[in-house]
Amino acid sequence: MDTKYMGLHETHEIHELLMFKNLCLTKATAMGALVQDQQLKDMLNSDVTATKQQVQRLQEFITNRGVQ
């Protein structure tokens, strides 16, 4: 694995974070469909939006790790 600006352990840590955030996204999306309370549904939708952005940013770190 060619890592120009990040160590292998850093790439691994980001990958672990990415997997965790994907799990959070899946769970929040699934629970949002089941929730009856509108305030809780709004909170879950907000979390889904934020988590999608976080996943995208983590993917950019992995994809563009040699570009600066």
Side-chain angles (χ1 to χ4, degrees):
M1 190 181 266
D2 181 33
T3 54
K4 209 174 207 178
Y5 293 102
M6 287 195 311
L8 184 58
H9 67 285
E10 294 167 324
T11 303
H12 180 70
E13 293 291 328
I14 290 175
H15 186 262
E16 285 187 14
L17 284 170
L18 182 59
M19 294 295 101
F20 175 72
K21 294 308 285 184
N22 275 323
L23 178 62
C24 292
L25 180 59
T26 301
K27 189 170 184 178
T29 301
M31 293 296 118
L34 301 174
V35 169
Q36 300 296 320
D37 182 61
Q38 188 59 45
Q39 187 177 7
L40 181 55
K41 188 175 283 222
D42 292 342
M43 288 173 62
L44 285 170
N45 287 335
S46 175
D47 183 57
V48 165
T49 301
T51 303
K52 283 181 182 180
Q53 292 172 349
Q54 294 164 351
V55 165
Q56 182 179 7
R57 185 70 176 130
L58 288 169
Q59 287 173 332
E60 289 172 6
F61 275 121
I62 291 174
T63 304
N64 302 326
R65 68 177 181 258
V67 179
Q68 287 207 1

